[in-house]
Amino acid sequence: MKTMCHPLRSLWWAILLIIIVSANSATDEAESAVPINPDDEPHPDPNEENYPGMIYIGRHDHHDGKRTGFHTDNGVKFIYGTGFDETHKEIEEKDLHHAHYGPDSEHDIADRAHGKTREQVLHEKRAGKIDLSKGPKPYGWFEEHPLDGGMVPPKVVRVDPFFMDVAPVTNKEFGKFVRATYYETEAEKFGWSFVLSSFLPNAENLHEAEVDPEAEDWVAVDGAYWRNPEGPGTSYKYRENHPVVHVSHRDAAEYCAWVGKRLPGEREWEAAARGGNVGPKNRTLYVWGDDQTTDAAKEYANLWGDGDFPWDNKAEDGWRATSPVKTFKPNLFGLYDMTGNVWEWQRGGKHKKRIVRGGSYVDSLDGSFNHAATLGVRATLHGTTTTGNVGFRCVKSPKRKEEYHWVYDNEGSGTAELVLEDEQGNRKQRQTQQNQQPQPIDLYEDDDEFDEEVIHDPTQPRPDETRKRVLAVKPRTVRSDEL
């Protein structure tokens, strides 16, 4: 007589099989989510990464000229700040190779250049030997040189490698962005923008127009924006290869985000502008050297020249306003218009004091009017400012391997899950079907939780040691608050 399997027994075996398969798939998913040893994962080779119209700024091998990988320090160190302060010559060459780890990491570079360690400076401060009459400086204090606005005194800084656009963004490139996204610039929203007084199509408007209280030569013109650079009746059509102007800080950041890039940091920008002349012996005042004559400058930069500003521009360099990108000679890295033509928006700063670098066609060589167009030239503008001499270019960070760090999981809930962190540092966890029921509250409990002192039992693990720790992805995206 044949025996028949009980239906409940068949159902039981089916449920058990489903549980085993689910457990194996969950294990495989967890193992694929986090490598067994993340440190064994190699860094991407920077030599295999290239982008059209961009130049790599980073350390190269002295023997074969290839880009140095991320297995070692491949950033750029240089002397950052104004070119008019001669104290940069006191910085020793070894400071550019100073490592921020090991036994020498306790020394401050800027003070060590003058023969003092950080401990000696602190000792003098406590002993009252330092003049503190000027009071403490707030965080982020930036002392500007009166001629070019660069940092005083210069100091050694470091930046990670990056890719930079070879030239500023042009009207043609910005037009593609506007047509693809229907973007409206802030100058269009406000209905006006600043135009240089000598460029007004109708001179009668000069007596009636409003001017910038901090720069009286710039006039607020209704209807001026990137398509109408000098206002109604003017056009960008014959200037498609000129840098786009009348763009705010947000407009520039929106464009860079659209093309998968970002605005450069000002230290990144200066590292690229100096073109490898980073030491105390080869650091120059301008892209072309230290010659302050117009004949030397007109080969490399679009500046105002020897005429009287703002009415007499003799156009020694061939241009009275913006010029097409790549018109002048590039720097040693192959980057164009790093001095003159248009100011360039930078990442960071505050909304009321956004940073611009590079100078523009209205600047001079020696600072006799406007800014001195040195490699350290720097200014700040309100983030919504739009004028006819401010543009931008974009940068991009090279790819790096994902790095992990330990984070506490669920604050000791007992369920181990992978915790991911986004660019803002927000924790993201998988949803679980286990819903913890709230514990009932006894309204008649007389004991006060603060009456008895809680003494930890040393034989038992501490509460913070019982929490689960898991590996989470460590974000490396360079962020700021442009958008």
Side-chain angles (χ1 to χ4, degrees):
M1 184 176 179
K2 297 181 179 180
T3 59
M4 299 180 62
C5 295
H6 196 278
L8 293 178
R9 182 177 299 175
S10 301
L11 180 61
W12 168 257
W13 284 109
I15 294 175
L16 182 61
L17 180 61
I18 293 175
I19 293 175
I20 294 174
V21 172
S22 300
N24 291 335
S25 62
T27 303
D28 295 340
E29 182 180 355
E31 292 178 354
S32 62
V34 180
I36 297 177
N37 189 359
D39 294 333
D40 293 340
E41 182 183 355
H43 283 282
D45 187 358
N47 295 282
E48 299 177 356
E49 188 176 2
N50 292 287
Y51 300 98
M54 304 192 80
I55 291 180
Y56 180 83
I57 310 297
R59 183 173 296 180
H60 292 71
D61 190 274
H62 294 291
H63 300 288
D64 54 15
K66 291 185 178 180
R67 302 169 186 170
T68 305
F70 288 100
H71 60 280
T72 185
D73 183 10
N74 59 352
V76 178
K77 288 185 178 180
F78 67 101
I79 302 176
Y80 162 81
T82 180
F84 290 109
D85 193 311
E86 297 293 333
T87 58
H88 73 272
K89 296 181 179 179
E90 301 176 12
I91 298 177
E92 299 178 12
E93 200 70 50
K94 61 183 180 181
D95 290 330
L96 297 173
H97 306 283
H98 175 77
H100 290 275
Y101 55 85
D104 201 28
S105 61
E106 296 299 325
H107 296 274
D108 182 83
I109 294 177
D111 291 326
R112 194 161 63 88
H114 297 82
K116 295 181 181 180
T117 65
R118 180 177 299 172
E119 290 79 3
Q120 291 173 335
V121 172
L122 290 175
H123 176 74
E124 292 181 359
K125 185 175 181 180
R126 290 168 184 159
K129 297 180 180 180
I130 297 180
D131 183 15
L132 301 178
S133 59
K134 296 182 180 180
K137 300 295 188 295
Y139 178 77
W141 172 263
F142 193 99
E143 185 175 352
E144 301 177 355
H145 193 277
L147 293 179
D148 63 358
M151 170 176 278
V152 178
K155 66 177 182 178
V156 176
V157 299
R158 178 195 176 278
V159 294
D160 287 328
F162 58 95
F163 291 90
M164 173 173 273
D165 285 346
V166 69
V169 176
T170 64
N171 285 312
K172 185 177 182 179
E173 294 168 333
F174 194 78
K176 294 179 181 179
F177 161 65
V178 171
R179 289 189 294 271
T181 62
Y182 298 94
Y183 184 78
E184 185 180 21
T185 62
E186 293 196 298
E188 296 174 78
K189 296 177 182 178
F190 298 149
W192 62 273
S193 187
F194 286 116
V195 178
L196 188 64
S197 58
S198 58
F199 291 168
L200 289 180
N202 189 353
E204 297 178 357
N205 297 336
L206 181 61
H207 302 286
E208 303 175 358
E210 297 182 3
V211 299
D212 186 346
E214 298 182 358
E216 296 182 354
D217 297 314
W218 292 92
V219 181
V221 176
D222 293 337
Y225 70 111
W226 72 274
R227 278 196 172 102
N228 300 332
E230 286 81 38
T234 62
S235 175
Y236 78 103
K237 284 299 183 180
Y238 295 100
R239 294 179 251 181
E240 289 190 340
N241 290 325
H242 289 231
V244 64
V245 291
H246 296 290
V247 288
S248 67
H249 189 267
R250 183 180 184 89
D251 298 334
E254 291 280 7
Y255 174 88
C256 290
W258 180 69
V259 295
K261 303 175 186 178
R262 59 176 175 83
L263 288 174
E266 64 166 320
R267 293 186 178 184
E268 291 177 326
W269 188 95
E270 188 169 330
R274 294 200 173 276
N277 294 332
V278 297
K281 297 180 180 179
N282 65 351
R283 189 174 189 261
T284 60
L285 194 62
Y286 306 102
V287 173
W288 56 90
D290 295 326
D291 192 345
Q292 289 191 351
T293 62
T294 303
D295 290 338
K298 67 181 182 181
E299 300 292 331
Y300 290 86
N302 177 5
L303 300 173
W304 191 263
D306 294 331
D308 295 331
F309 180 82
W311 300 102
D312 183 19
N313 188 335
K314 301 182 183 303
E316 293 95 342
D317 51 24
W319 302 90
R320 287 186 170 85
T322 59
S323 57
V325 299
K326 301 182 181 181
T327 297
F328 300 90
K329 294 180 180 179
N331 70 355
L332 296 178
F333 284 160
L335 300 169
Y336 294 87
D337 291 329
M338 297 302 286
T339 296
N341 212 359
V342 292
W343 288 96
E344 298 180 13
W345 288 113
Q346 306 294 303
R347 175 174 55 88
K350 298 181 180 180
H351 185 60
K352 294 183 179 180
K353 295 186 67 175
R354 293 295 189 184
I355 304 165
V356 289
R357 297 296 304 264
S360 73
Y361 60 85
V362 303
D363 292 309
S364 60
L365 286 172
D366 56 1
S368 56
F369 56 87
N370 299 329
H371 285 76
T374 67
L375 290 173
V377 63
R378 179 184 188 271
T380 55
L381 301 172
H382 195 284
T384 60
T385 300
T386 58
T387 74
N389 69 330
V390 177
F392 68 98
R393 76 177 75 202
C394 306
V395 299
K396 189 178 183 68
S397 299
K399 297 177 181 178
R400 303 181 66 169
K401 75 173 184 179
E402 284 189 340
E403 294 190 359
Y404 300 86
H405 61 156
W406 289 101
V407 297
Y408 285 112
D409 170 50
N410 295 338
E411 298 299 329
S413 62
T415 58
E417 298 175 358
L418 180 64
V419 181
L420 299 178
E421 292 185 352
D422 59 12
E423 297 177 359
Q424 287 75 29
N426 300 322
R427 301 266 295 276
K428 296 182 179 180
Q429 300 168 334
R430 298 198 199 108
Q431 296 293 331
T432 60
Q433 298 180 354
Q434 299 177 356
N435 297 325
Q436 297 182 357
Q437 298 294 332
Q439 298 294 330
I441 301 176
D442 189 357
L443 299 178
Y444 301 99
E445 180 65 44
D446 294 331
D447 294 336
D448 190 343
E449 59 177 340
F450 297 105
D451 287 345
E452 297 180 2
E453 181 181 0
V454 179
I455 301 177
H456 173 66
D457 186 359
T459 61
Q460 300 295 327
R462 297 181 59 85
D464 56 351
E465 296 177 352
T466 59
R467 294 185 296 176
K468 300 288 185 180
R469 289 205 310 164
V470 296
L471 284 175
V473 177
K474 184 178 181 180
R476 282 193 171 276
T477 305
V478 179
R479 295 180 55 252
S480 60
D481 57 349
E482 289 102 18
L483 305 179

